[in-house]
Each structure stands twice: as structure tokens, then as C-alpha cells.
Amino acid sequence: MTHFPFQRLQSELASLIAHTPGGQRLPSEPELARQMGVSRATLREAMRSFETQGLIRRRQGAGTFVVGQVSVMESGLEVLESLDTMAKRQNLEVTVSDLQVEKMFADQDVANGLIVPLGTRVTRVRRVVRAEGRPVAYLVDTLPEEIFRPDDLPTSFHGSVLDYLIHRGDPLNVARANITAIGATAEVAKSLEIQRGDVLLHFHSQVYDKSGKVLTYTFSYFIPGYFHFHVVRRVGNG
Amino acid sequence: MTHFPFQRLQSELASLIAHTPGGQRLPSEPELARQMGVSRATLREAMRSFETQGLIRRRQGAGTFVVGQVSVMESGLEVLESLDTMAKRQNLEVTVSDLQVEKMFADQDVANGLIVPLGTRVTRVRRVVRAEGRPVAYLVDTLPEEIFRPDDLPTSFHGSVLDYLIHRGDPLNVARANITAIGATAEVAKSLEIQRGDVLLHFHSQVYDKSGKVLTYTFSYFIPGYFHFHVVRRVGNG
DNA sequence: TTGTGTCTAGTTGTCTGACAAATTCAAGTG
DNA sequence: CACTTGAATTTGTCAGACAACTAGACACAA
């Protein structure tokens, strides 16, 4: 079943990339194509696939570079904590960039997520989390305006909606997170400085207060490799 | 930043794919390339990216098809249950194929996962789970041979190692699952009938018995869209 | 009728060669 | 030293061609 050059190619390229230190440049495309015995067009299709997986990055005029792994953030999913808290716990330095706070009205999706009527006034908070300067996560919180108004934004606000709510003393209770894997959309790709379609871990979660009301509805996008999420599962009929 | 044909293309193609019913064929590559005003080479790179995301599937000689979503399996991660159990609970029909049981010796990775000495005799169980005929998950269990010998395989064994252990009355306790997103490796891609590098949700988990011993070390690969995994998270400072 | 083999038009897979656009870096210039 | 220029290198895109494969139509024999 390995008749096609494309499949041989992927195998050899995967090995080459795995054995090349992060940040280092790969041979040029004409050079690689000759080495692997395929045309540049076929090589480029394979490269596109690896780029979609986030393993390499291509820059016109400069070359193709292997993306290296950096330190990972480890978290148990049973406990809800902000990335900031999570990073502090592990002595990692994270920064927040591209912070955007805006007013909007709930569309169907937001209305379902927050369990509010369509058209309700809501506040949306978007931000990019960076580790060692590189984007590693993109977070979009949407909250009812009665919970959080852009004007309320204190100077101490450093980007974590969760930390802010906790610090403010809101009666948070639990969160429900849906977990899946997706390819980056245009908006997410731009924010995370990756290509549309690149592999991402995606959480799609709601934070409830003690009365069962939804305080915030959050979309989280994580670049794989920087995070280790784990969860403890009890046996079914236990 | 949208100067390159490739980026315009991805946007238009994403829309086209989203608006095309599942299972339906897209226009041929020369036709599409003309419509979108790009060369076939550029079009194919974009197509490769969408194929990597699992949104389309290309078949030489036949055409390019949009893969449609089918019914989803919903599961809370707090409770450990087999896909079989999970499907039954929701009246979905799943089948198991490509069941392979083999003996091997623990390599470094398996030894770490099972917490046994390097070279310990282990049993590996591989299988593909299908819903509506299509592969949706690929599972690889590795167990110490003292827990599970291939010869022990009862006729009732239908592919679920977990269900087997539970039914046998083993004192299962908890499982720890690590969650991430990855691109498919060659082995996984072949089993799931997708392309190497396609987006997958990946669990990497261990099941412990009441004494803290690891009973099985499992790699699970899920094609996104067929599953809804969720988890309830408690607020940090409870 | 049913099944089988063959043919053909259409589709994806790959190749070759070329040019455009961006980057890098060294040499030149004030 | 700061800035410009220009050549070499590298990725982005294009055009056209042929090979490999698929699906459907068709003829023909059982």
C-alpha cells in the first residue's frame, strides 16, 4: 500500500524532522526533493501536511524551520484553574497579548452556551497566551454584561477572566468542559501565528455559579505539545 | 496579510466544503482551480491541508469527497467506560475490526507506562472501532502477560479489554488519562483509513487496580466529530 | 437474466521547468 | 556608523504534460 511517493516521503520527512533540533533550518526544497527522489510539487504537499501538524514552519525567502518543543504546562482537568495559575504553579513564565474586550449581543451559539435569551448584552474577552514569547493558547470568554462589563475592567486585570471572577469573590462552583481536536479557523490561526487548519486541542467550556447559572462561556485553543492535560477516571460501576 | 493565493483559497474552499453535503463529490481539481483562479498545484496544497483536517477525502481516479458527520458518542471523562458501553448507553451501533492480539516484550515506553522492568512479557491488543461502518477510533492496549495472556482470550471477547477485565472481576480502581491532539502516525493512519498527519484526539492512559498496580496501558486515537468528551471541573480553592 | 471482461472518459497523483516574491547578507556609500 | 544597493538563496505560484486509477457503459457468453 506504500506505492505512492507521497507516503514514502512522509515517512522519511517525519524521520528527518524528528531528528532535527528545534529551530534549525531544513535543506532547501529543491535539495530535499532531489535527496528524496520526488518532485518539488510532491515534496511541498508533504511539507504542507507537516506544517498543518505544527511540526515545521515555512518562511518565504528564508527557509523551512523545525518547530522545537519548549517547556510544558501540566494540569489535572478535575480542578479548574487559569493558565496563569497553572504556569505559576510550575514556575513557568507566561505573558498575555492581543487582549481585546468588546461588547456584543448574544447570537444563537452564545445564547445556547450562556443559557440566556438571544440578543442579550454580553462581554467578550479575547487574548493570546504566550510561553517563551511564542503563542501557545488562544482564549475567548463570553460573559453576560451583568456579570462583567468592559468598564469594570480593573487596572490589575492581566487577562484571566477566571482569576478575576475568583478574586472578585463570585460564587463559582463548577465548570463543564467539552474536549475535542480541530483544525485552526482563520481567526484562531491568525492569533496563534499558525496556518489555518493546523492541529489544535480545543476546550469548549462553561463555568457555573452555585445557583446553576452560567457565568462564562469559553473557547480555548491549545497548540499541542505545550500542555499536558490529564484526568482521573473512576471505573463505571464502582 | 491575505496577499497569497493560498490564504484566499483556504477561505473559499472552507466555505465550499462547509456548504457541501457530506459524502458528495467536489468539482474536479482542474475545474476548481479555474473557478478559484489558482493553479492546480496551489489548489492541491490547500486540499492536502483540508484532508489533513479530515474534512475531505481524495480518491485517485474517483474524485474528492466531503466527509460528513454522523452520530456522536457522548461521554463524561470522570467515569471510565469502554466505547462499547458508551455506545450501548446511547443506542448506537459500533463494531470492532482488525482485532490483533500479540505477545511482545516491554520496550522503554511500555516499561514506563506499565511500571514494569524493561523486557517484561506483555500482551498487546489492537483494534479499530467503527460506527456506521466507518473507522472512528483506534485503540492499543498493552498489558503485562500475567494480567492477560493471548491464550486466555475467551470466545466472548469482542474487543474491549476494559469490559473483559471488569467482567473477569479484576479489582479495577481508577484510570489516569493524558489528553492531547496529534497528527496521525503511519500506523494509525492506515488503521483509521485516513492520511498520515490527519487531526486526531489522543488519549494516553493507564488503568490502576486497588493496589496501585498498572493493569493496562492504552493509546486511544479518536477521529474528531464522532465523540463528545466532557469533564466537570471544580474551582481550584474549593 | 446474470455475470464477466473490455473499453473509455474522467479524476487524482506526480513530474518538469519556469518565474515571482521575500529574505538574507555582504559590499558599497554617505 | 547608518543606510542603500544588489546578488544569491529560498519559498510561493504557475502552466502543461503524462501516469495511475476509478467508475460506468457496453458487448458478449453462460
Side-chain angles (χ1 to χ4, degrees):
Chain A
M1 201 56 114
T2 174
H3 302 144
F4 297 120
F6 184 81
Q7 312 205 2
R8 279 201 308 273
L9 230 200
Q10 282 201 311
S11 187
E12 294 179 32
L13 270 185
S15 171
L16 174 62
I17 292 172
H19 291 80
T20 302
Q24 195 163 318
R25 221 199 68 191
L26 292 178
S28 74
E29 292 180 355
E31 170 68 22
L32 262 183
R34 203 176 62 250
Q35 280 183 25
M36 310 243 165
V38 299
S39 73
R40 222 188 119 208
T42 299
L43 178 82
R44 278 184 60 80
E45 265 201 62
M47 292 296 228
R48 173 66 67 188
S49 182
F50 283 107
E51 188 178 31
T52 294
Q53 294 175 65
L55 298 178
I56 60 172
R57 172 148 184 191
R58 298 188 285 185
R59 282 167 49 211
Q60 182 172 354
T64 302
F65 301 83
V66 174
V67 173
Q69 295 298 27
V70 296
S71 43
V72 301
M73 273 176 265
E74 177 102 19
S75 171
L77 284 176
E78 300 82 1
V79 175
L80 178 63
E81 62 181 3
S82 67
L83 289 189
D84 204 62
T85 304
M86 180 172 161
K88 276 210 184 84
R89 187 160 45 74
Q90 297 172 59
N91 279 325
L92 294 179
E93 188 140 338
V94 301
T95 58
V96 169
S97 71
D98 305 303
L99 178 63
Q100 290 179 39
V101 182
E102 61 180 324
K103 298 182 180 186
M104 54 179 287
F105 298 96
D107 60 16
Q108 191 58 59
D109 188 49
V110 169
N112 287 342
L114 285 178
I115 315 183
V116 297
L118 209 97
T120 302
R121 288 176 174 279
V122 298
T123 305
R124 175 158 290 178
V125 181
R126 282 187 266 231
R127 59 213 179 277
V128 174
V129 177
R130 293 166 182 268
E132 305 179 6
R134 273 184 281 185
V136 296
Y138 179 56
L139 307 176
V140 181
D141 276 274
T142 308
L143 310 86
E145 211 170 60
E146 61 173 29
I147 303 288
F148 183 87
R149 260 203 312 281
D151 317 319
D152 296 343
L153 204 81
T155 53
S156 66
F157 187 75
H158 54 288
S160 169
V161 171
L162 184 62
D163 283 349
Y164 172 65
L165 291 178
I166 291 175
H167 185 261
R168 201 174 72 173
D170 278 39
L172 305 192
N173 187 12
V174 297
R176 183 183 199 276
N178 292 284
I179 302 168
T180 187
I182 63 168
T185 61
E187 177 199 353
V188 176
K190 187 181 167 192
S191 298
L192 288 176
E193 297 170 15
I194 57 179
Q195 288 291 321
R196 184 195 188 105
D198 284 5
V199 179
L200 293 176
L201 182 63
H202 176 44
F203 289 2
H204 158 224
S205 56
Q206 295 149 311
V207 176
Y208 298 86
D209 71 2
K210 296 205 192 295
S211 72
K213 185 173 171 182
V214 179
L215 293 180
T216 169
Y217 176 54
T218 309
F219 279 72
S220 317
Y221 304 87
F222 302 99
I223 296 183
Y226 295 99
F227 300 92
H228 282 175
F229 291 113
H230 54 84
V231 62
V232 173
R233 313 180 66 180
R234 294 178 293 281
V235 173
N237 54 0
Chain B
M1 203 55 115
T2 172
H3 301 145
F4 297 119
F6 184 82
Q7 312 205 4
R8 277 201 308 274
L9 229 200
Q10 281 200 312
S11 189
E12 294 180 31
L13 269 186
S15 171
L16 174 62
I17 292 172
H19 291 80
T20 301
Q24 197 162 318
R25 219 200 71 191
L26 292 177
S28 72
E29 292 181 355
E31 170 69 20
L32 263 183
R34 203 177 60 249
Q35 280 184 25
M36 310 240 164
V38 299
S39 73
R40 223 188 118 208
T42 300
L43 178 83
R44 279 185 59 78
E45 267 201 61
M47 292 296 228
R48 173 67 67 189
S49 181
F50 284 106
E51 188 178 30
T52 295
Q53 294 175 65
L55 299 177
I56 60 173
R57 171 148 184 192
R58 297 188 285 186
R59 283 167 48 212
Q60 181 171 357
T64 302
F65 301 83
V66 174
V67 329
Q69 295 300 26
V70 296
S71 43
V72 299
M73 275 178 264
E74 177 105 9
S75 172
L77 284 176
E78 301 81 1
V79 174
L80 178 63
E81 62 182 2
S82 67
L83 289 189
D84 204 61
T85 304
M86 178 172 162
K88 275 210 185 85
R89 186 159 46 74
Q90 298 172 57
N91 279 325
L92 294 179
E93 189 139 339
V94 300
T95 58
V96 169
S97 71
D98 306 304
L99 178 62
Q100 290 178 39
V101 183
E102 62 179 324
K103 298 183 181 184
M104 54 179 288
F105 298 95
D107 59 18
Q108 191 59 58
D109 188 49
V110 169
N112 287 341
L114 286 177
I115 316 182
V116 297
L118 208 98
T120 302
R121 288 176 174 278
V122 298
T123 304
R124 175 159 287 179
V125 181
R126 283 188 264 232
R127 60 212 179 277
V128 174
V129 176
R130 292 166 183 268
E132 304 178 6
R134 273 184 280 185
V136 295
Y138 179 55
L139 307 175
V140 181
D141 276 274
T142 308
L143 310 85
E145 210 169 60
E146 62 174 26
I147 304 288
F148 183 88
R149 260 202 313 281
D151 317 320
D152 296 342
L153 203 81
T155 54
S156 66
F157 188 75
H158 55 288
S160 169
V161 171
L162 184 61
D163 283 348
Y164 172 66
L165 291 178
I166 291 175
H167 186 263
R168 201 175 70 174
D170 277 39
L172 305 192
N173 187 14
V174 298
R176 184 184 199 277
N178 292 284
I179 302 168
T180 187
I182 63 168
T185 61
E187 177 198 353
V188 176
K190 187 179 167 193
S191 298
L192 289 176
E193 298 171 14
I194 56 180
Q195 289 291 322
R196 183 193 188 108
D198 284 5
V199 179
L200 294 176
L201 182 63
H202 176 44
F203 290 1
H204 158 224
S205 57
Q206 296 149 311
V207 176
Y208 297 86
D209 71 2
K210 297 206 190 294
S211 72
K213 185 173 171 182
V214 179
L215 293 181
T216 168
Y217 177 54
T218 309
F219 278 71
S220 316
Y221 304 88
F222 302 99
I223 296 183
Y226 295 99
F227 300 91
H228 282 176
F229 291 112
H230 55 84
V231 62
V232 173
R233 314 180 65 178
R234 294 178 295 280
V235 174
N237 53 1

